[in-house]
Amino acid sequence: MSEGSAVIVISSHVVRGSVGNRAAVFALETMGYPVWALPTVILPWHPGHGPSTRVVIAEEQFDQVIDDLIRAPWIGEVKAVLTGYFGHPSQPRAAARLISALRARDPDLFYACDPVMGDEAGLYVPEATAEAIRTELLPLATLATPNRFELAWLSGADLDSNAAVMEAAIALGPPKMLVTSAVPMMAGGTGNLYLTGRHALLAEHRLIDNPPNGLGDLLAAVFLARLLSGMDEEKALQLATASVFEVLARTARRGGDELTLETDASSLSTPMAMVQMRHLMHPLRSGRR
């Protein structure tokens, strides 16, 4: 990535808090990347804090903004796209149109798809939106960053082991897959499982109960920044996991109900937290295929 390379981030915007674009844009800019931020929905705060007004960018206007971006005179600056939460089923299709146009100009465009759609309680977006992410965006992704429950929905499989997680990741298709909330191997831990054609890595840290929202948004952005820098993938996974865990741990110590990114920006660039790294048996090399 050349100096000044920009990242387009398409996700939700909250007035108060550190989720969606608020987390991703802060992380990418802190790590040195110019960001073009496009909101899909505007909320006063995360829905987990209670009911609030929800402003979804109208379909026609969203399409018009995408058209503007495609023909923007600075579009050559863009070297990567990150998508997250979508407020309407038409928005993933519009985002796919942008990514395809960018890739026509630059075949090396890096697209990171964070399929923000649900958790252990089930989908929290309409099924039509989740389907649009699966059909329109995942086939374009260089990297996908679902949590384990999103991967289970996308793949239609029960993922009660990391072997099952890896099989589902391979079947789903993106060449790089980072799965959060992977099955932990250490007691009282949680992990991020990263699978590519040659890597099967698990980065684990201590589980912190009742975490604030936005961890997935933050991890996707920090990991993307590390990969764009040209860093070795194993080191990128270790540092990105350490960054997110460190921010979470510091927020928890303060009793914060939102990630304290503004206070802990140094954790994004130079994390000190310890992460347990494991090399897993790659399913393509286990003799089962």
Side-chain angles (χ1 to χ4, degrees), residues 198-273:
R198 64 192 187 94
H199 287 299
L201 303 169
L202 182 65
E204 292 183 284
H205 59 76
R206 176 172 53 87
L207 180 67
I208 294 179
D209 292 329
N210 302 313
N213 294 291
L215 295 174
D217 305 308
L218 183 62
L219 180 65
V222 175
F223 188 55
L224 173 61
R226 293 294 186 186
L227 292 180
L228 293 179
S229 74
M231 182 176 286
D232 171 80
E233 290 178 303
E234 183 170 352
K235 187 66 172 178
L237 175 64
Q238 178 186 357
L239 289 178
T241 301
S243 288
V244 174
F245 174 56
E246 192 168 297
V247 171
L248 170 59
R250 290 180 173 182
T251 300
R253 281 200 297 270
R254 298 185 187 101
D257 66 348
E258 293 283 349
L259 296 174
T260 50
L261 299 181
E262 69 289 340
T263 306
D264 300 318
S266 63
S267 296
L268 302 180
S269 55
T270 55
M272 304 297 290

Side-chain angles (χ1 to χ4, degrees), residues 17-30:
S18 300
V19 301
N21 268 7
R22 288 290 302 275
V25 173
F26 183 91
L28 285 161
E29 290 183 339
T30 297

Side-chain angles (χ1 to χ4, degrees), residues 31-64:
M31 299 178 77
Y33 290 90
V35 177
W36 299 13
L38 173 58
T40 55
V41 59
I42 300 170
L43 301 160
W45 49 75
H46 187 277
H49 293 315
S52 67
T53 302
R54 172 186 171 91
V55 180
V56 179
I57 308 302
E59 181 176 352
E60 182 179 359
Q61 292 174 318
F62 194 83
D63 277 335
Q64 289 170 347

Side-chain angles (χ1 to χ4, degrees), residues 120-140:
E120 64 269 23
L123 289 180
Y124 48 63
V125 301
E127 189 165 332
T129 301
E131 288 283 3
I133 293 171
R134 177 163 60 187
T135 60
E136 301 287 344
L137 291 176
L138 279 176
L140 299 174

